[in-house]
Amino acid sequence: MIRVLLADDQALVRAGFAALLDAQDGIEVVGQAADGAAAVRLVRELTPDVVLMDIRMPGLDGLQATHEIASDGRLTGVRVVILTTFELDEYVFEALRAGASGFLVKHTEPAELVRAVRVVASGEALLSPSVTRRLISEFADRAKPPPPTSLDALTERERQLVGLVGEGLSNDDIAERLVLSPATVKTHVNRAMMKLGARDRAHLVVFAYEAGLVRPGWAS
């Protein structure tokens, strides 16, 4: 059973998502919160598998709440999906940096919402290559230069693959470019994630930028 917590300041949005998800086999909505502080409190109390988190809420917003959840060592199994009205919300990149596993627009199709919950609960990141590229184009070239991040633990191949993940390539894309099997690419990417302490693929994209492996618009 996938246990989901909903965090949104609009009661109708929460009710609609709850009705949809509770009707699915293997998914249960275990709690609802109207603001970020309540969301963090309930996550600590209920430890859901997935949190659907509105990015704009009164008091503690979704960005701050996501950071609190992602930085709590007791909640490493909790995956946060950011809900936003606009696909290229100005805070989406910061939410990924804070530890979110991806994002959804609120007007997404019901079937896509259900699929998203299942994907994130399985440990994958909800961040398609096309979305990654749009995020790069829209925000990363206006970002401050990244702080230095130690990559000493990575092999040369792992560094190369982390850079390609940061460019928005899927495992299949990387395998084709480097003439490797998708299974080999997946193994290298998973090892890099473990060495860097990345929660998921979305977080690995952030590492790629902060380490300078991908430098859109930044001076060399």
Side-chain angles (χ1 to χ4, degrees):
M1 183 68 71
I2 300 171
R3 303 169 72 251
V4 179
L5 187 137
L6 305 174
D8 195 296
D9 61 339
Q10 298 181 53
L12 284 176
V13 171
R14 296 197 310 271
F17 283 2
L20 171 65
L21 294 173
D22 277 334
Q24 308 302 314
D25 290 337
I27 298 178
E28 176 187 13
V29 175
V30 295
Q32 299 185 33
D35 57 61
V40 173
R41 184 173 64 253
L42 284 173
V43 168
R44 287 173 174 156
E45 177 184 334
L46 302 170
T47 57
D49 301 301
V50 178
V51 181
L52 296 181
M53 180 86 73
D54 186 17
I55 205 166
R56 289 182 172 87
M57 291 184 289
L60 194 73
D61 65 18
L63 185 61
Q64 296 168 301
T66 297
H67 176 72
E68 288 199 22
I69 293 167
S71 60
D72 190 330
R74 298 166 298 177
L75 303 174
T76 54
V78 178
R79 296 288 179 259
V80 178
V81 175
I82 292 294
L83 298 172
T84 176
T85 304
F86 304 104
E87 192 169 75
L88 287 176
D89 189 291
E90 61 183 299
Y91 296 113
V92 165
F93 193 77
E94 289 302 320
L96 296 175
R97 180 178 280 117
S101 294
F103 72 97
L104 283 172
V105 289
K106 287 187 177 181
H107 60 262
T108 191
E109 293 293 326
E112 181 63 18
L113 174 66
V114 174
R115 187 194 73 84
V117 168
R118 297 190 191 281
V119 166
V120 173
S122 73
E124 296 296 321
L126 190 67
L127 194 64
S128 70
S130 62
V131 168
T132 304
R133 294 186 187 106
R134 290 201 297 274
L135 282 170
I136 292 167
S137 174
E138 185 72 14
F139 301 121
D141 59 357
R142 297 194 314 225
K144 296 178 181 178
T149 300
S150 175
L151 296 176
D152 294 343
L154 299 185
T155 65
E156 193 62 37
R157 175 67 86 185
E158 287 166 352
R159 292 188 192 191
Q160 182 184 28
L161 265 64
V162 170
L164 294 174
V165 169
E167 290 181 19
L169 273 65
S170 67
N171 284 353
D172 288 343
D173 293 334
I174 295 171
E176 183 176 350
R177 178 178 294 192
L178 300 182
V179 195
L180 298 171
S181 73
T184 298
V185 171
K186 183 177 181 179
T187 297
H188 283 305
V189 170
N190 287 343
R191 285 176 181 167
M193 286 172 58
M194 287 190 293
K195 290 179 180 180
L196 292 172
R199 292 168 65 91
D200 53 33
R201 196 180 185 90
H203 205 189
L204 197 62
V205 171
V206 175
F207 269 114
Y209 285 104
E210 294 186 335
L213 294 176
V214 183
R215 306 175 66 86
W218 292 323
S220 301

